[in-house]
Structure formats: structure tokens, C-alpha cells
Amino acid sequence: MKHELDLIVFDWDGTLMDSTAHIVHSIQAACRDLGLPTPPRERASHVIGLGLVDAMRHVCPGLPESGYQDMVQAYRHHYLSGDETIELFEGVVEGLAALEDAGYLLAVATGKSRVGLDRVLAATGIGKHFLTTRTVDECQSKPHPEMLLQITDQLGMLPARTLMVGDTTHDLLMARNAGTMAAGVSYGAHPLEDLEDCEPRAIFHSFAELQAWLLSGN
């Protein structure tokens, strides 16, 4: 089947892996450890997808730079203490294999660190499906387009035939800035209405829905 798209780029947290709640709890715990105001869930979840320092700046604006480094260290302590229990969303393992078999090229663009992404790619066993990946360690934080532009350039793909899939407005705005298409998933960090405001090509309520749409030739 002839597809409208060649390359599908996935966000990680909240899109492929069901990690939103754990990230939120880890941000809140880090703030408590440092005697900072504990952000409500909505504020903590809004920063998911950004690089860690940028995320902490949004959570607690006005701190000295050393304060954000302390927040990052505290966050990592709490996140790593429970990350082995986090699972991929239902249908991701089978869905990625099916998309690859259908001829799509697959990649990842994430706000995770390189060490963090490599760890979960190995632990989940799905790293074999991705031709390339980009993290905030190599590129500017979302919604800057650098991650997507580097991926499309490396793989020789046209942005117009590339789809960015993510659960946050950061992902969808990055796609807009890079000139790619965008699709949202409603089961992650950002509310459905916020995703709709970014006017993505489509919004899906499960990975199976996304997979079916892509395999239909979109």
C-alpha cells in the first residue's frame, strides 16, 4: 500500500511508555525534598517532554541556577527508584513491529537524557525498531525543531512526509516548527483540549487507533 507518510517519529514518555504519573510524583517529591512548594499535578504534568532543567524552571520559576541542578538531581533519585516498574502502553510492542513491516521508518525524539533513553530502549526491547533517536542531550529542548530536523536530515526524509506523534503540546508545536505533520495521543500528559488547540492532523485515544490509521494508508 502506498502511504502518504514515510517517517514516523515518536515521543517516549506518555506516548510509548506509561510514565506520566511516575514523572509527576517524582517532580513533586523532588520539590518536597528541597523545601519548595509542591506543584499540583496539572503543573507538573505540563512540563513532561521538556528537558529536565527547562522543566524545573517552569515548575519553580525564579530560583538561582544551582537550585535547578539540585531539583534535577532530586528528581532523578526519585524517578530511578521506581522506573523499572513502568510499562509500555498496550499495543506498542506489536504495533511498532507492524508499522515497520508495513514499510514505515521509525524514530524517537524525546526530552529524556541519552542515558535514560538508552536504558529504557534496552529494557523494553523495542530499540531495534528505531533507525535513529534524538534526546535533549544532543538537541535543544522541545518545542524547538532541532530534534526533528536532525532526524529527517540524517535519514534523508522530507519533513512534509514525516509525522511526529506525541502526548504534549511541546511535541505538536515542535512538529509545526519543523514543518512536519503532527498527531496527538490523548492518553498521556496534556489534556485533550490543549492538544486540539495545536490543530494536529489527528488525535488518537489508544496506540491501536494510531496503528490502524497508519496502516490504512492515512
XYZ file of all heavy atoms in Angstrom, residues 17 23 30 47 60 71 111-112 119 121 125 146 155 162-163 185 194 196 207:
145
model
N 5.526 4.954 26.482
C 5.634 4.399 27.838
C 4.691 5.120 28.797
O 4.575 6.350 28.763
C 7.077 4.497 28.337
C 7.299 3.952 29.735
S 9.050 3.644 30.106
C 9.217 1.955 29.482
N 6.465 10.307 36.604
C 7.205 11.563 36.429
C 6.630 12.651 37.318
O 7.369 13.380 37.994
C 7.185 11.990 34.951
C 7.984 11.003 34.099
C 7.746 13.411 34.787
C 7.857 11.236 32.607
N 10.672 15.662 44.508
C 11.899 16.459 44.471
C 11.673 17.832 45.098
O 12.522 18.332 45.855
C 12.367 16.606 43.023
N 4.995 19.991 32.125
C 6.399 20.126 31.710
C 6.970 18.833 31.163
O 8.130 18.803 30.725
C 7.279 20.630 32.876
C 6.748 21.951 33.402
C 7.370 19.597 34.000
N 9.237 25.677 39.054
C 9.591 26.606 40.139
C 10.380 27.784 39.569
O 11.612 27.825 39.668
C 10.419 25.892 41.202
S 9.518 24.673 42.156
N 17.280 20.398 41.874
C 15.982 19.796 41.581
C 16.135 18.612 40.629
O 15.493 17.565 40.800
C 15.047 20.838 40.959
C 14.554 21.896 41.921
S 13.398 23.045 41.092
C 11.955 21.987 40.865
N 12.473 14.234 25.326
C 13.107 15.096 26.307
C 13.928 14.337 27.332
O 14.520 14.959 28.217
N 13.972 13.006 27.233
C 14.792 12.222 28.145
C 16.275 12.487 27.869
O 16.661 12.972 26.800
C 14.510 10.721 27.974
C 13.092 10.308 28.308
C 12.889 8.828 28.118
C 13.398 8.029 29.300
N 12.626 8.295 30.528
N 18.706 3.341 28.263
C 18.353 2.348 29.281
C 16.972 1.751 29.005
O 16.798 0.529 29.043
C 18.385 2.989 30.673
C 18.127 1.978 31.809
C 18.193 2.624 33.180
N 17.168 3.636 33.367
C 17.398 4.938 33.430
N 18.621 5.395 33.329
N 16.406 5.794 33.601
N 15.235 1.804 26.167
C 15.208 1.098 24.891
C 15.708 -0.336 25.068
O 15.125 -1.280 24.523
C 16.071 1.825 23.859
C 15.504 3.115 23.278
C 16.555 3.798 22.401
C 14.237 2.861 22.477
N 13.222 -3.660 24.916
C 13.482 -4.468 23.739
C 12.969 -3.890 22.440
O 13.008 -4.561 21.403
N 14.849 21.343 16.429
C 16.138 20.729 16.106
C 16.086 19.206 16.091
O 16.691 18.567 15.208
C 17.221 21.200 17.081
C 18.611 20.721 16.688
C 19.704 21.285 17.569
O 19.404 21.803 18.662
O 20.874 21.207 17.159
N 18.145 10.849 7.930
C 17.509 9.761 7.192
C 17.147 10.144 5.762
O 16.649 9.304 4.997
C 16.261 9.292 7.939
C 16.502 8.746 9.349
C 15.182 8.327 9.989
C 17.488 7.573 9.320
N 6.779 13.399 6.977
C 7.143 12.934 8.320
C 6.025 13.269 9.290
O 5.439 14.355 9.216
C 8.459 13.604 8.773
O 9.509 13.230 7.878
C 8.827 13.206 10.196
N 5.742 12.366 10.202
C 4.715 12.566 11.231
C 5.343 12.489 12.605
O 6.023 11.514 12.928
C 3.629 11.499 11.119
C 2.476 11.602 12.136
C 1.556 12.767 11.779
C 1.690 10.296 12.200
N -1.761 12.017 20.964
C -2.391 10.912 21.683
C -2.938 11.468 22.990
O -2.255 12.228 23.685
C -1.422 9.735 21.931
C -1.024 9.089 20.599
C -0.181 10.165 22.699
N -6.048 20.893 25.087
C -4.780 21.566 24.779
C -4.173 21.015 23.491
O -3.610 21.767 22.686
C -3.794 21.392 25.939
C -4.188 22.188 27.170
O -5.158 22.976 27.080
O -3.546 22.021 28.218
N -5.895 19.695 21.040
C -6.758 20.163 19.943
C -6.405 21.584 19.535
O -6.493 21.933 18.343
C -8.222 20.076 20.361
C -8.736 18.649 20.489
C -10.139 18.576 21.057
O -10.543 19.532 21.768
O -10.813 17.568 20.818
N -2.958 3.431 21.324
C -1.934 3.160 20.319
C -2.520 2.331 19.185
O -2.122 2.485 18.019
C -0.734 2.437 20.940
C 0.492 2.499 20.072
C 1.351 3.574 20.142
C 0.767 1.487 19.156
C 2.479 3.653 19.326
C 1.882 1.553 18.328
C 2.740 2.642 18.416
